[in-house]
Amino acid sequence: MENMANRNSQKKPDRQADNQITEKFSKPIAAQSSAEWLAEQRLNDLAATKNSGRALDPATLETIISHLRTSLKESVSQTSQKKDAPEPFLVLLDPESIQIYLEKAWPLDRFVLDNSFLYLLSLDPKLHRTDFKTLIFFKDGRLIKTRENSNNVMYSLFELIGFNYDFIRGISTRVSGKDSHCVPYVFGRYSFLPLSGPTRQQSSWINLSKVQRYRALKGEKGVEVHCVNQHVIQLPVRPQFFAEKVKQADQAIHRQEHLLRNVLKNFDYVDGRKEERENNLLGNAFRAHTDRISLISMEDYIRIFQFSFAETALKHPSLRDNPVTDEALQLLRENLYDDLPHLRNTVR
């Protein structure tokens, strides 16, 4: 009994030491990375195994080393990604902030703008002390400065989309019933807002489709917009103006979505899928005779729709006896066919 008691008393200090070692290395130190902590823990495990006199089989050792190697690679990869990630933009109203971005921007006079831009800033040569005319911020952190004026850059984008600004502005004016200043350009996923009259040679533009939220700046004439990828841009416009234009753009989007749903319904599209027609005669028989029609651009086709609506309205019975109606119809047809050359030979 005495020998057994002596042996138990000798094991207690060893167990206490093991518990202290386990407690010491069970929690990673704040200053250490996960890979460093894992490496240290594995070394302690090896030391504990060696002290206990047990042999570590090769398969277990290889598993430990492989796991350690993978953890180190992941740690290095995460560190590298953090270093390579671009810093979010913080574009302030003061010219000094713009000057910093001008120095970082890549000079490029001929390029194609895409929908990934956040803010297209029209530069003032005196205020920003530069001969560049436009500075463009992109959501992935790119910066481009160009000697092209801002409206030329935007109009080149409108050409790619297929509809110029005046066309979109005209539709918005007709729908709202009044002509307003700085009408947003809204067509599907494209939503751009000119911050000053786009009829001027220079105008800054904000990509509304990339804005997540905004707030009015206290004590300053400006609005702070928060864009995707944590970019923040302060715009030199009145909060009431910006709120009104956001509402106008939102209304245009809802109108277009409503129109699209009706078009898809009338063309037998359900959830983006075209239902098979029971009778395919019209889908095949006249396809060979549509060569001339296929030459009409989508913009001209929509304009023909607009003229058709106007012509239908002028033929309403309430205007039948109005002497101005015939003259209005004649002017309408002349404008239609003179502006669309491929229809000049059409029987009127």
Side-chain angles (χ1 to χ4, degrees):
M1 293 294 290
E2 293 179 359
N3 293 334
M4 185 177 295
N6 291 335
R7 284 197 299 269
N8 291 336
S9 62
Q10 290 175 359
K11 289 182 179 180
K12 288 182 180 179
D14 294 339
R15 290 176 181 175
Q16 292 175 356
D18 292 341
N19 291 335
Q20 291 176 357
I21 292 174
T22 303
E23 183 178 358
K24 178 180 180 181
F25 295 106
S26 61
K27 299 179 180 180
I29 302 174
Q32 289 180 313
S33 67
S34 59
E36 292 172 343
W37 172 78
L38 180 60
E40 187 172 351
Q41 190 175 24
R42 294 302 183 190
L43 291 175
N44 291 327
D45 291 341
L46 291 173
T49 303
K50 183 177 179 182
N51 292 335
S52 63
R54 291 177 295 174
L56 192 65
D57 62 281
T60 304
L61 181 60
E62 178 61 29
T63 301
I64 294 174
I65 294 176
S66 176
H67 187 71
L68 179 59
R69 188 183 296 112
T70 302
S71 300
L72 287 172
K73 286 183 179 179
E74 291 177 355
S75 178
V76 171
S77 176
Q78 292 175 1
T79 304
S80 176
Q81 289 178 0
K82 290 180 180 179
K83 290 181 179 179
D84 296 339
E87 290 290 333
F89 295 129
L90 177 58
V91 184
L92 306 178
L93 295 174
D94 59 286
E96 288 74 15
S97 172
I98 304 301
Q99 197 65 36
I100 295 175
Y101 289 119
L102 265 173
E103 295 174 356
K104 296 179 180 179
W106 182 31
L108 192 62
D109 285 340
R110 293 183 179 180
F111 66 98
V112 178
L113 187 64
D114 56 57
N115 196 31
S116 66
F117 86 93
L118 302 176
Y119 183 37
L120 188 141
L121 174 63
S122 174
L123 297 169
D124 185 335
K126 296 181 180 179
L127 183 63
H128 300 111
R129 304 187 301 277
T130 180
D131 59 344
F132 289 94
K133 295 182 179 180
T134 307
L135 179 63
I136 309 170
F137 300 81
F138 292 83
K139 71 175 185 178
D140 59 1
R142 285 178 294 147
L143 273 168
I144 289 180
K145 55 184 176 182
T146 177
R147 292 178 177 84
E148 293 186 57
N149 68 59
S150 58
N151 283 2
N152 286 345
V153 175
M154 287 300 299
Y155 289 163
S156 65
L157 175 58
F158 297 153
E159 289 180 0
L160 291 177
I161 296 172
F163 298 92
N164 60 38
Y165 175 77
D166 292 333
F167 177 73
I168 298 294
R169 186 173 185 268
I171 291 178
S172 178
T173 300
R174 291 185 183 95
V175 170
S176 60
K178 62 179 181 179
D179 191 8
S180 59
H181 185 63
C182 298
V183 176
Y185 181 103
V186 178
F187 184 73
R189 67 177 183 272
Y190 301 100
S191 302
F192 313 126
L193 173 65
L195 302 185
S196 58
T199 55
R200 300 177 183 176
Q201 188 177 7
Q202 289 279 84
S203 178
S204 297
W205 295 74
I206 184 73
N207 191 342
L208 291 178
S209 65
K210 300 295 184 289
V211 176
Q212 297 178 329
R213 62 186 184 278
Y214 71 94
R215 68 177 184 89
L217 293 175
K218 295 182 179 179
E220 294 187 58
K221 179 186 175 182
V223 173
E224 182 179 275
V225 297
H226 293 252
C227 304
V228 295
N229 296 352
Q230 300 181 350
H231 299 299
V232 179
I233 301 172
Q234 293 182 357
L235 304 177
V237 295
R238 293 180 296 106
Q240 296 86 349
F241 163 85
F242 193 79
E244 176 187 349
K245 296 307 170 183
V246 168
K247 181 180 179 181
Q248 190 175 359
D250 183 62
Q251 291 174 347
I253 290 175
H254 282 287
R255 290 189 185 106
Q256 290 179 6
E257 289 178 346
H258 178 72
L259 173 64
L260 181 61
R261 284 195 297 269
N262 282 279
V263 170
L264 293 178
K265 180 180 178 181
N266 291 332
F267 282 87
D268 292 337
Y269 277 85
V270 178
D271 296 331
R273 299 178 182 178
K274 187 174 183 179
E275 295 181 346
E276 292 293 334
R277 296 179 183 271
E278 294 181 359
N279 189 342
N280 289 325
L281 175 64
L282 295 179
N284 299 318
F286 300 104
R287 189 167 297 170
H289 305 288
T290 58
D291 293 340
R292 185 179 64 85
I293 298 177
S294 64
L295 297 177
I296 302 176
S297 67
M298 179 60 71
E299 181 177 354
D300 289 343
Y301 197 70
I302 293 178
R303 291 171 63 193
I304 292 172
F305 264 71
Q306 290 177 320
F307 277 107
S308 177
F309 292 148
E311 189 176 23
T312 303
L314 288 172
K315 290 181 178 179
H316 193 272
S318 63
L319 299 175
R320 183 177 301 168
D321 298 330
N322 193 321
V324 183
T325 302
D326 292 337
E327 183 180 354
L329 281 171
Q330 184 61 30
L331 289 173
L332 189 66
R333 290 164 182 166
E334 288 178 357
N335 290 332
L336 170 62
Y337 292 111
D338 288 343
D339 204 31
L340 300 174
H342 50 274
L343 295 181
R344 283 178 180 170
N345 297 326
T346 306
V347 178
R348 303 184 187 184

